Amino acid sequence: MTDEKVADGRVVRGERNRKALLDAAYNLIAEGNLAPAAPEIAERAGVGLRGLFRHFGDMEGLRAALDERTSAEGAAKFASGNREGSLRKRLLHAVEQHAISYESQGNFFRAMQIDRWNSEVLRKSYDRDNYRLRKDLENWLPELKSLSTHRREAVDATASFEAWQRLREHQHLSVESSIDIIYDTIKVLMTAP
């Protein structure tokens, strides 16, 4: 076997191992292990622990790679939906689309909440994601720009994952009830004199 083929085989194996590690971390979080440890990720991937650190440097490097993947997925989910019609119709569609996204990406939001205090990558990601959510809501509802600062901030808080999580997990409300509450609250904030 030539040196070139050996090198090519190592590159392919390295790429495969890196993907397996990233997939393992992603799947563990998706399944509810919100803060998987390096040994758990390596074991799930079938890659040695040293391989994890060789590919990502440290857990922060793995978080950065995982954030890149989940950020792209999340942005695509939030970007979809019908953005036409009356204010009430667009508001309902926006709240429903956010509900779909929060439900499908919930474990990744929760994982970020757990680790962001110890991770520069996740702190930046959290700020970036909140900025994107704010801009996405403005895209659905350009009328938000004319609200007072206080009302605009109240809408952002109401539309946040944290508000969704409280309704769904702490108050044990259904998806439909949570949508209704968020819709009604934002509608009042946007239309009350």
Side-chain angles (χ1 to χ4, degrees):
M1 191 178 279
T2 67
D3 288 344
E4 188 175 299
K5 286 184 180 179
V6 169
D8 287 346
R10 287 181 186 152
V11 169
V12 169
R13 187 172 58 249
E15 289 171 358
R16 187 176 55 237
N17 287 345
R18 186 178 196 285
K19 183 181 180 321
L21 288 160
L22 193 54
D23 288 347
Y26 181 95
N27 291 332
L28 284 165
I29 292 171
E31 293 164 10
N33 182 346
L34 303 181
E40 293 173 292
I41 295 166
E43 182 179 336
R44 170 70 73 94
V47 176
L49 186 58
R50 286 177 45 200
L52 187 149
F53 295 110
R54 185 171 45 255
H55 288 288
F56 297 102
D58 56 17
M59 288 300 285
E60 192 73 347
L62 177 60
R63 286 184 191 109
L66 187 58
D67 177 64
E68 187 177 315
R69 176 176 173 177
T70 58
S71 177
E73 289 178 1
K77 286 182 191 301
F78 279 98
S80 61
N82 182 358
R83 296 174 185 238
E84 297 179 11
S86 67
L87 171 62
R88 290 174 190 244
K89 192 172 192 176
R90 285 180 287 118
L91 174 56
L92 180 59
H93 289 162
V95 173
E96 289 171 341
Q97 191 60 44
H98 282 204
I100 290 166
S101 300
Y102 288 152
E103 287 293 304
S104 67
Q105 298 289 112
N107 281 346
F108 298 101
F109 283 104
R110 289 178 199 91
M112 184 185 296
Q113 289 173 331
I114 290 170
D115 279 344
R116 75 182 163 136
W117 309 110
N118 298 316
S119 168
E120 182 67 23
V121 164
L122 295 182
R123 280 192 297 276
K124 287 180 180 178
S125 177
Y126 182 80
D127 290 343
R128 180 202 64 226
D129 289 349
N130 280 316
Y131 176 79
R132 283 182 182 168
L133 286 170
R134 185 178 191 119
K135 290 301 178 189
D136 181 63
L137 205 54
E138 286 175 1
N139 185 273
W140 282 97
L141 309 165
E143 298 89 345
L144 288 171
K145 295 175 185 174
S146 66
L147 295 182
S148 70
T149 301
H150 286 93
R151 284 195 186 199
R152 180 67 183 100
E153 295 302 328
V155 168
D156 281 343
T158 304
S160 70
F161 175 74
E162 289 82 1
W164 182 259
Q165 182 178 23
R166 178 172 178 86
L167 292 169
R168 294 284 289 127
E169 294 177 26
H170 304 290
Q171 294 178 225
H172 309 289
L173 297 175
S174 69
V175 168
E176 294 77 17
S177 293
S178 299
I179 288 171
D180 289 345
I181 289 167
I182 291 171
Y183 171 83
D184 288 342
T185 303
I186 294 175
K187 183 176 71 172
V188 168
L189 288 165
M190 291 188 72
T191 60

